Amino acid sequence: MDFDWSVIWQALPELLKGARLTVLIALAGLAGGLVIGFAAGLARAYGNIVLNAIAMIYIEIIRGTPIIVQVMFIYFALPILADIRINPLAAAIMAIIINAGAYIAEIVRGSFLSVHRGLREAGLALGLPFWKVLVYIIGPLAFRRMIPALGNQFIVSLKDTSLFIVIGVGELTRQGQEIMAANFRAVEIWSAVATFYLVMTGTLTLILRLTEKRMRIL
């Protein structure tokens, strides 16, 4: 079978539309995941017994279930339980936020606890409040250490958006499926979809490596 490049050119507008939606879901989800992840991670590292337990239960439940089950629960089960309607895009973003947040929480916890406790004790000895010790002394070192792990999580979450095809979100994989169903050119379409994902993950990897290089610990 000959590879027909014209099929890709014709499908390019729809694939670009799907790629833009994929990036939107990933960025919005990861932004929310970072907020939840930092809160849960700090609760695990420095919180009292109640906060620690709540964060641990959340992390274990989310890390113990597949993201496709989570998004199906949000989209199909949550409206029944809470009597609210959730559109597919909102469900997809919520799934990324909740899923990424649990993994980021463990990254944050490990990074903060990896900083030598002597720095915390020195900051407290100088009379700084604990939150300033975290923000100005422990935080910068911990953030530099968590960059590689955060980069891996960002890439995983970006690729996880392809699973939202099950609830009809028009992201890149969904667009590829619909185009392929119309023209039956599976080789060309899925090659193009794979190339889009490689470009997106490659760009993200480059940005993270440059960030890691600029903030490396000497």
Side-chain angles (χ1 to χ4, degrees):
M1 184 182 110
D2 294 331
F3 192 92
D4 190 351
W5 289 97
S6 65
V7 172
I8 296 178
W9 290 117
Q10 293 171 6
L12 202 56
E14 293 301 315
L15 293 176
L16 284 171
K17 179 182 176 182
R20 285 196 296 269
L21 187 57
T22 293
V23 173
L24 171 64
I25 294 171
L27 289 178
L30 288 170
L34 281 170
V35 174
I36 293 178
F38 267 85
L42 292 176
R44 288 279 288 124
Y46 304 110
N48 57 36
I49 188 171
V50 175
L51 292 176
N52 192 312
I54 293 172
M56 184 176 66
I57 292 171
Y58 156 67
I59 291 168
E60 293 304 318
I61 290 175
I62 298 304
R63 294 204 307 168
T65 54
I67 188 172
I68 193 169
V69 174
Q70 295 162 15
V71 74
M72 297 283 273
F73 184 89
I74 292 171
Y75 186 65
F76 291 109
L78 194 59
I80 297 174
L81 295 174
D83 195 26
I84 56 174
R85 291 187 60 84
I86 301 176
N87 64 56
L89 180 58
I93 293 174
M94 287 175 62
I96 292 291
I97 290 174
I98 294 170
N99 185 269
Y103 288 93
I104 291 172
E106 286 297 279
I107 295 171
V108 170
R109 181 184 70 87
S111 298
F112 272 81
L113 292 181
S114 71
V115 178
H116 196 280
R117 63 180 301 172
L119 291 174
R120 181 179 65 178
E121 293 172 354
L124 294 174
L126 291 173
L128 293 175
F130 184 62
W131 71 269
K132 283 191 175 182
V133 174
L134 287 182
V135 172
Y136 296 113
I137 298 177
I138 300 177
L141 288 174
F143 181 72
R144 291 171 185 172
R145 293 179 179 181
M146 70 177 73
I147 289 176
L150 284 177
N152 289 336
Q153 182 57 46
F154 289 174
I155 291 171
V156 168
S157 294
L158 176 64
K159 293 188 295 183
D160 279 347
T161 59
S162 63
L163 298 173
F164 301 145
I165 189 174
V166 298
I167 59 172
V169 177
E171 42 71 53
L172 181 57
T173 302
R174 175 77 177 192
Q175 294 291 349
Q177 183 192 48
E178 291 181 351
I179 295 168
M180 193 272 293
N183 61 21
F184 300 102
R185 303 293 296 193
V187 175
E188 290 88 345
I189 296 303
W190 292 120
S191 295
V193 170
T195 301
F196 268 99
Y197 278 112
L198 285 171
V199 170
M200 289 188 291
T201 57
T203 302
L204 182 56
T205 299
L206 179 61
I207 293 172
L208 290 167
R209 285 182 178 174
L210 290 174
T211 304
E212 183 180 357
K213 184 178 180 180
R214 289 180 63 87
M215 299 186 68
R216 67 185 183 275
I217 300 174
L218 302 176

